[in-house]
Amino acid sequence: MRAFIFPGQGSQAVGMGQALADASTVAREVFQEVDDALSQKLFKLMVEGPADELTLTENAQPAIMANAIATLRVLQKEGGISLADKAAFVAGHSLGEYTALCAAEAIDLATTARLLKLRGRSMQAAVPVGVGAMAVFLGLDFEGAKAVAEEAAQGEVCQAANDNSNRQVVVSGHKDAVERAIEIAKAKGARRAMLLPVSAPFHCSLMQPAADAMAEALGRTAVQAPLVPVYANVLAAPVSDPAEIIRLLVEQVTGTVRWRESVAAMADAGVEQFVELGGKVVGPMVKDITDKATATSVVTMADIEALAASL
């Protein structure tokens, strides 16, 4: 059994998609469709930068999705691979859940791009710059990080935002509370605890205005049953019902990304191979979560050809 998985924010880099577009008409068509959907030259920004503009949440989210879907489409059309035949599940980290839904044909590409543009813009607008922050703890498990966040809150917001692996948890909330959490985490034995270079405190209750915006947009969105079940971030369980998919995407904006539990659950369900498409972020996390499965990250044409030959 196999799962296709998709990266989240932070996997963007200037130059992304260039080699794929040079090698494949299929990839170029994906990038053009996203540009058209957004009325923006996003692919030019992906290839040429500047990095600070690409890193803006409203650009990074659709860019990462476009790169991953281009990778998948090349695999499908030039490698003759059918997702429904080769994957039992799909899943993605945060924005990657939208990519997974697009990959499984629950949401079309143009709509996914517009939703992620709105999601990024809404998340950025929810909290004034400098008010919120996120920090990563290495060497603390989820329960330990949750306890640190609760102790650091002191009337402010501080929540465990991303349960990434057995050794990596991200907390999110008010900047002062997150800075207190860093000091508490160090005192409790975290190997490293440091602020992340992000522009807003994602996946905590401060994101409620963004959740409201997404609820409105998703309420107008046609969502189909996916070709294969999608592991939802906030449930760490597979979903296929369109109404439930929409509800969970709204909840995901303020909820914890339960990535560790999702990967472990897929492995327990029989997944023996995780294939990350369009990045080298969530694949390596798999190795920290379970020894029941292997993980492969597919980025280049050579990676795609090697995977197609192995499937």
Side-chain angles (χ1 to χ4, degrees), residues 27 31 100 138 166 257 275:
F31 297 130
L138 303 180
N166 297 327
V257 175
V275 178

Side-chain angles (χ1 to χ4, degrees), residues 23-309:
S24 169
T25 305
V26 174
R28 290 196 295 276
E29 287 170 353
V30 169
F31 297 130
Q32 187 61 55
E33 187 175 342
V34 170
D35 277 5
D36 291 346
L38 300 179
S39 301
Q40 176 188 3
K41 291 183 177 175
L42 182 65
F43 183 60
K44 185 172 189 286
L45 177 62
M46 290 163 63
V47 170
E48 298 177 9
D52 57 348
E53 195 176 332
L54 178 61
T55 302
L56 288 174
T57 305
E58 66 177 80
N59 293 325
Q61 293 198 25
I64 291 162
M65 180 278 298
N67 189 55
I69 293 297
T71 307
L72 173 66
R73 294 268 176 95
V74 173
L75 176 68
Q76 288 175 311
K77 293 190 181 174
E78 298 184 9
I81 300 302
S82 160
L83 181 140
D85 291 342
K86 299 298 183 182
F89 305 109
V90 291
H93 189 282
S94 189
L95 82 90
E97 187 168 329
Y98 285 78
T99 315
L101 288 161
C102 182
E105 298 181 21
I107 308 175
D108 67 65
L109 176 59
T111 301
T112 305
R114 287 191 289 266
L115 285 170
L116 284 173
K117 185 79 175 175
L118 173 66
R119 184 177 182 267
R121 194 175 283 158
S122 301
M123 291 170 97
Q124 185 61 67
V127 180
V129 174
V131 171
M134 299 180 80
V136 62
F137 301 159
L138 303 180
L140 280 188
D141 65 11
F142 182 65
E143 291 305 319
K146 219 162 81 166
V148 166
E150 286 166 9
E151 185 180 335
Q154 297 177 21
E156 293 186 307
V157 171
C158 190
Q159 294 170 234
N162 299 351
D163 182 8
N164 286 338
S165 72
N166 297 327
R167 297 180 293 181
Q168 185 190 112
V169 183
V170 174
V171 299
S172 181
H174 285 111
K175 190 166 188 284
D176 288 349
V178 170
E179 287 175 342
R180 286 192 294 271
I182 289 172
E183 297 311 311
I184 295 167
K186 287 176 180 173
K188 289 188 182 292
R191 194 157 42 82
R192 290 187 76 187
M194 57 190 180
L195 287 172
L196 287 172
V198 295
S199 53
F202 307 132
H203 298 293
C204 75
S205 60
L206 295 175
M207 288 287 110
Q208 189 57 49
D212 295 342
M214 293 312 296
E216 190 180 331
L218 285 160
R220 301 191 303 268
T221 298
V223 177
Q224 311 300 320
L227 296 176
V228 298
V230 179
Y231 263 74
N233 284 185
V234 296
L235 267 193
V239 292
S240 294
D241 175 64
E244 190 178 13
I245 285 168
I246 289 170
R247 180 178 65 78
L248 294 170
L249 285 176
V250 174
E251 200 178 310
Q252 189 226 56
V253 179
T254 57
T256 302
V257 175
R258 295 168 62 183
W259 187 251
R260 174 184 58 85
E261 291 176 272
S262 296
V263 169
M266 283 185 272
D268 287 343
V271 170
E272 295 172 310
Q273 184 188 27
F274 289 87
V275 178
E276 176 182 9
L277 295 170
K280 294 185 177 181
V281 181
V282 287
M285 287 180 193
V286 169
K287 295 163 189 172
D288 278 342
I289 297 168
T290 181
D291 55 9
K292 295 179 182 177
T294 61
T296 306
S297 293
V298 177
V299 178
T300 64
M301 281 299 293
D303 294 338
I304 292 168
E305 287 161 5
L307 178 65

